[in-house]
């Protein structure tokens, strides 16, 4: 035991924190995409596991083909929009439940991503050979780039969801019956929201491929759960720090921050020498706890069990 | 203003649950008509309003509103003509959005929603004025989430929203049924005011005979998907509950055991 503690170096942890921040920012961007579907449209969209890899694959292949990184990223976003469009059409035009539509698109994207990557499971884009927007070799620069992109995206989101169209998307998620009665084409709004969301997810996938220097067919596995973790951590922290004063801009910013915090936790856990193969289990447990927390808190205030504890006429 | 020609609708056709909800119903509303609709459970009142609103397509017949044939238009495409308030106070508003946002959504009913601001400063002033007129103190809570409002406040807000962009037809589907009597009374008063101020053509479903008699200029009674009674003008003004029950027996061909079985007395 003491050997274990002796092997932990605080300095090593401190040194790995900046890397955690930069990766966390990229996951935080993805969480912004997931926020659109999960919180605004009230849909758990499982397309993202596929569209994250899609963004990475498209970016990597185009950079390998000699495209500038920003242009590759742009095409990756378009590919993500398309993936979301497919899920949206499966859901609205063919009547497939949203969660299943997402699973179908995600599954098909596995094959498509393999094809994009020329049937190889891994494509390296070395920062030595290519000009990348960000790379894990220059972490301070990567943090700066990631933060700048986050700032722009949060601002664009803040603006867009304040417009008539953005409000219509929010209304659709909030009360579809009312939205229809007010003349909103809710099918179109769902497709629009799913597309936008997956476009952002693909963007973050493309950034991740550049950051780590490769695209991998499995890199999107569990992305939805990480995104949910970021959204929820952001909400909990935002509530704790700002409470009622948190406006939409704050909510969005805390979503990105949630991604950063999530990844910092991962860094600490890895530093504690948890087997990295157990990370997915760890993440799932953390998300389950955070998802359960509001429900359990509500239960404590009003539940049948309360009567049992008080042993009778628990009116007080 | 509104013209229904021979409209029929059957739910779950060909199954054991088959239910003919509207059978060859025709109805004409003149501009400014305020029609109260009564009838027992399953008489087809809500089905009638949903058919007009376009919640689903009808099986047969045509529906014309303001000279336009809207029979083939889906719900969101005919929304530009129709304002609606539902029985469930939860249904007419978006609970997680602000009061002013809800109003702004309603102000754009049936319009293209582009990339202009969702709520402008100018309309905010209008909304404050309108809310002040309600007399519920809502003008000081414009940025509160609508989910925090009471059922009565929400129905009042939904009424305001339905009339915000002058509709050709206002549909009130038992919009006071879920409220306590005092609140229901207030919301009804407000409905009368909004209808008369804007001279709206209106259909109001109610389970309350007194309300059906005391409001509007015309009363229709439904049974088994048909209109069995249509009273307006002077005859409507002189109508009593007793008379209404007797007329029901004549038209429907069977006697109500008590008026309370099918129609709530009050």
């Amino acid at each position: 035991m003491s050997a274990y503690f002796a092997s932990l170096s605080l300095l090593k942890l401190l040194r790995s924190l900046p890397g955690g921040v930069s990766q966390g920012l990229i996951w935080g961007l993805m969480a912004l995409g997931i926020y659109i579907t999960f919180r605004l449209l009230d849909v758990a969209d499982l397309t993202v596991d596929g569209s994250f890899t899609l963004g990475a694959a498209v970016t990597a292949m185009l950079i390998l083909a000699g495209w500038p990184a920003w242009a590759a990223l742009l095409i990756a976003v378009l590919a993500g929009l398309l993936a979301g469009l497919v899920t949206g059409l499966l859901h609205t035009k063919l009547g497939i439940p949203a969660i299943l539509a997402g699973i179908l698109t995600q599954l098909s994207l596995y094959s498509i991503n393999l094809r994009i990557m020329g049937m190889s499971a891994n494509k390296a884009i070395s920062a030595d050979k290519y000009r990348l927007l960000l790379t894990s070799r220059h972490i301070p620069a990567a943090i700066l780039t990631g933060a700048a992109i986050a700032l722009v995206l949060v601002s664009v989101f803040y603006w867009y969801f304040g417009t008539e169209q953005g409000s219509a998307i929010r209304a659709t998620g909030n009360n579809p019956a009312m939205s229809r009665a007010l003349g909103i084409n809710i099918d179109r709004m769902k497709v629009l929201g799913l597309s936008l969301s997956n476009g952002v997810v693909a963007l973050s996938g493309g950034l991740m491929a550049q950051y780590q220097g490769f695209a991998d067919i499995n890199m999107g596995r569990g992305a939805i759960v990480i995104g949910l973790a970021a959204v929820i951590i952001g909400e909990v922290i935002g509530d704790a720090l700002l409470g009622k004063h948190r406006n939409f801009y704050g909510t969005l910013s805390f979503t990105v921050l949630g991604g950063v915090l999530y990844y910092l936790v991962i860094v600490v856990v890895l530093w504690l020498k948890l087997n990295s193969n157990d990370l997915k289990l760890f993440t799932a447990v953390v998300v389950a706890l955070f998802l359960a927390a509001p429900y359990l808190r509500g239960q404590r205030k009003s539940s049948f069990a309360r009567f049992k504890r008080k042993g009778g006429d628990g009116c007080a | 203003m509104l013209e229904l020609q021979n409209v029929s609708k059957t739910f779950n056709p060909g199954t054991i649950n088959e239910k003919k909800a509207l059978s060859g119903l025709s109805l004409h509303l003149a501009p400014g008509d305020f029609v109260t609709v009564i009838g027992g459970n399953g008489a087809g009142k809500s089905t009638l309003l949903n058919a007009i609103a376009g919640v689903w397509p009808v099986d047969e017949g045509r529906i014309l509103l303001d000279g336009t044939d809207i029979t083939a238009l889906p719900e969101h495409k005919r929304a530009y003509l129709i304002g609606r308030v539902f029985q469930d106070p939860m249904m007419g508003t978006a609970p997680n959005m602000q009061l002013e946002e809800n109003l702004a959504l309603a102000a754009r009913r049936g319009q293209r929603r582009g990339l202009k601001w969702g709520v402008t400063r100018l309309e905010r002033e209008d909304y404050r004025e309108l809310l002040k007129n309600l007399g519920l103190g809502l003008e000081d809570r414009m940025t509160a989430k609508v989910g925090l409002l009471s059922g009565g406040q929400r129905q009042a807000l939904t009424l305001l929203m339905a009339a915000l962009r002058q509709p050709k037809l206002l549909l009130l589907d038992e919009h006071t049924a879920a409220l306590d009597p005092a609140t229901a009374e207030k919301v009804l008063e407000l409905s009368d005011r909004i209808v008369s101020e804007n001279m709206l053509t209106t259909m109001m479903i109610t389970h309350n005979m007194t309300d059906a008699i005391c409001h509007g200029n015309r009363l229709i009674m439904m049974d088994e998907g048909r209109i069995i009674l249509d009273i307006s003008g002077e005859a409507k003004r002189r109508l009593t509950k007793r008379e209404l029950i007797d007329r029901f027996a004549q038209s429907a061909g069977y006697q109500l055991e008590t008026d309370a079985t099918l129609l709530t007395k009050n």
Side-chain angles (χ1 to χ4, degrees):
Chain A
M1 201 62 178
S2 62
Y4 167 72
F5 281 112
S7 74
L8 299 178
S9 144
L10 208 59
L11 199 67
K12 210 172 141 203
L13 175 66
L14 284 178
R15 251 187 270 145
S16 51
L17 284 182
V21 171
S22 52
Q23 268 205 67
L25 274 169
I26 299 176
W27 288 117
L29 288 175
M30 185 194 64
L32 278 180
I34 288 174
Y35 183 85
I36 300 181
T37 49
F38 184 59
R39 280 302 183 222
L40 297 184
L41 276 181
D42 201 17
V43 165
D45 173 32
L46 299 186
T47 316
V48 294
D49 283 24
S51 52
F52 187 76
T53 313
L54 176 68
V58 169
T59 306
M61 294 312 284
L62 287 178
I63 288 177
L64 285 175
W67 286 50
W70 65 266
L73 214 47
L74 197 72
I75 303 297
V77 171
L78 290 179
L81 288 171
L82 208 62
L85 181 75
V86 170
T87 301
L89 292 179
L90 285 175
H91 174 46
T92 57
K93 296 289 173 212
L94 302 180
I96 299 171
I99 200 156
L100 208 51
I103 291 175
L104 291 175
T105 312
Q106 181 205 118
L107 186 68
S108 58
L109 277 174
Y110 186 85
S111 302
I112 292 169
N113 291 337
L114 267 178
R115 279 197 176 275
I116 290 174
M117 300 205 294
M119 289 301 173
S120 104
N122 194 297
K123 282 282 178 191
I125 35 171
S126 163
D128 297 331
K129 286 203 231 157
Y130 304 97
R131 279 182 66 94
L132 304 176
L133 287 179
L134 73 182
T135 159
S136 56
R137 298 215 191 138
H138 305 289
I139 285 175
I143 293 178
L144 229 58
T145 310
I149 295 175
L151 188 72
V152 170
L153 217 54
V154 165
S155 305
V156 169
F157 268 40
Y158 181 74
W159 163 76
Y160 179 70
F161 288 104
T163 65
E164 294 174 341
Q165 197 173 75
S167 300
I169 292 181
R170 287 189 293 139
T172 298
N174 210 213
N175 187 343
M178 174 205 78
S179 302
R180 271 197 306 266
L182 294 182
I184 294 170
N185 185 344
I186 66 167
D187 282 356
R188 185 186 296 166
M189 291 306 143
K190 283 182 187 168
V191 172
L192 200 57
L194 282 164
S195 296
L196 286 176
S197 164
N198 283 288
V200 173
V201 171
L203 171 80
S204 103
L207 290 172
M208 186 61 87
Q210 297 181 49
Y211 179 79
Q212 61 188 14
F214 62 88
D216 185 279
I217 191 67
N218 285 318
M219 66 191 278
R221 186 164 289 173
I224 176 78
V225 183
I226 296 176
L228 290 179
V231 169
I232 296 162
I233 292 172
E235 280 173 354
V236 170
I237 304 289
D239 258 350
L241 292 183
L242 294 181
K244 269 189 182 169
H245 304 292
R246 183 172 46 130
N247 63 7
F248 192 55
Y249 203 94
T251 302
L252 293 173
S253 308
F254 270 102
T255 301
V256 179
L257 202 65
V260 175
L261 289 174
Y262 164 79
Y263 211 78
L264 287 179
V265 172
I266 296 296
V267 166
V268 171
V269 169
L270 285 177
W271 175 72
L272 291 170
K273 304 218 166 110
L274 187 88
N275 187 331
S276 63
N277 287 322
D278 293 333
L279 270 184
K280 301 248 190 270
L281 173 65
F282 175 79
T283 305
V285 170
V286 168
V287 172
L289 286 177
F290 270 102
L291 280 175
Y295 173 76
L296 292 177
R297 214 180 305 138
Q299 284 278 297
R300 218 176 46 204
K301 283 186 203 132
S302 71
S303 80
F304 294 107
R306 190 169 60 103
F307 289 87
K308 242 192 232 163
R309 277 202 302 276
K310 295 212 166 129
D313 52 7
C315 211
Chain B
M1 181 57 70
L2 175 70
E3 175 94 42
L4 275 79
Q5 299 170 353
N6 220 8
V7 170
S8 292
K9 177 72 185 177
T10 303
F11 289 116
N12 309 309
T15 72
I16 189 128
N17 290 321
E18 180 169 307
K19 160 93 181 141
K20 200 159 178 63
L22 293 177
S23 53
L25 186 144
S26 295
L27 176 67
H28 175 84
L29 259 61
D33 264 357
F34 182 171
V35 184
T36 55
V37 185
I38 55 171
N41 288 326
K45 308 181 300 290
S46 286
T47 308
L48 173 62
L49 258 55
N50 287 338
I52 297 169
V55 176
W56 23 251
V58 296
D59 299 336
E60 274 170 64
R62 296 210 309 154
I63 303 171
L64 290 94
L65 183 52
D66 195 31
T68 317
D69 187 338
I70 58 169
T71 320
L73 292 184
E75 189 175 1
H76 68 268
K77 284 205 178 142
R78 48 177 104 170
Y80 76 101
L81 295 166
I82 304 170
R84 284 156 78 192
V85 184
F86 309 93
Q87 177 174 359
D88 181 354
M90 304 293 191
M91 229 173 125
T93 47
N96 293 337
M97 295 175 79
Q98 299 169 349
L99 239 142
E100 58 180 33
E101 287 181 320
N102 271 272
L103 285 162
L105 283 169
R108 290 159 180 75
R109 177 163 48 78
Q111 289 195 314
R112 222 183 72 83
R113 290 166 207 264
L115 296 178
K116 282 189 284 224
W117 277 118
V119 196
T120 63
R121 186 150 22 104
L122 217 66
E123 54 185 306
R124 244 180 224 126
E125 320 249 304
D126 289 347
Y127 299 158
R128 188 179 302 279
E129 220 32 57
L130 283 166
L131 288 169
K132 204 179 270 173
N133 282 340
L134 283 186
L136 296 171
L138 292 179
E139 67 273 15
D140 299 322
R141 302 176 64 185
M142 299 235 308
T143 56
K145 300 272 161 74
V146 171
L148 300 171
L149 303 186
S150 70
Q153 288 173 327
R154 276 192 184 199
Q155 287 303 66
L157 178 64
T158 311
L159 260 171
L160 200 61
M161 285 165 61
L164 198 52
R165 186 170 185 77
Q166 179 114 354
K168 294 293 174 193
L169 179 67
L170 178 64
L171 299 177
L172 308 172
D173 188 354
E174 280 192 67
H175 67 309
T176 59
L179 307 175
D180 67 80
T183 312
E185 194 52 47
K186 269 194 210 144
V187 170
L188 264 178
E189 256 170 51
L190 178 68
S191 313
D192 271 342
R193 212 175 81 204
I194 285 180
V195 168
S196 63
E197 274 172 11
N198 299 287
M199 292 181 291
L200 298 177
T201 311
T202 304
M203 293 179 81
M204 176 174 92
I205 297 181
T206 174
H207 260 295
N208 185 312
M209 273 209 246
T210 311
D211 289 343
I213 292 170
C214 299
H215 297 267
N217 66 331
R218 186 172 164 191
L219 180 150
I220 61 176
M221 185 186 264
M222 292 187 66
D223 187 53
E224 294 184 342
R226 293 165 301 136
I227 292 171
I228 55 167
L229 199 60
D230 188 341
I231 306 171
S232 55
E234 191 55 32
K236 158 94 167 46
R237 265 191 293 281
R238 286 201 313 265
L239 199 62
T240 63
K241 265 188 288 185
R242 192 68 255 161
E243 199 185 339
L244 202 53
I245 293 162
D246 291 342
R247 298 278 296 266
F248 179 88
Q250 280 169 23
S251 310
Y254 59 91
Q255 181 73 48
L256 298 173
E257 288 166 42
T258 69
D259 53 332
T261 54
L262 288 184
L263 302 159
T264 312
K265 201 169 136 185
N266 181 3

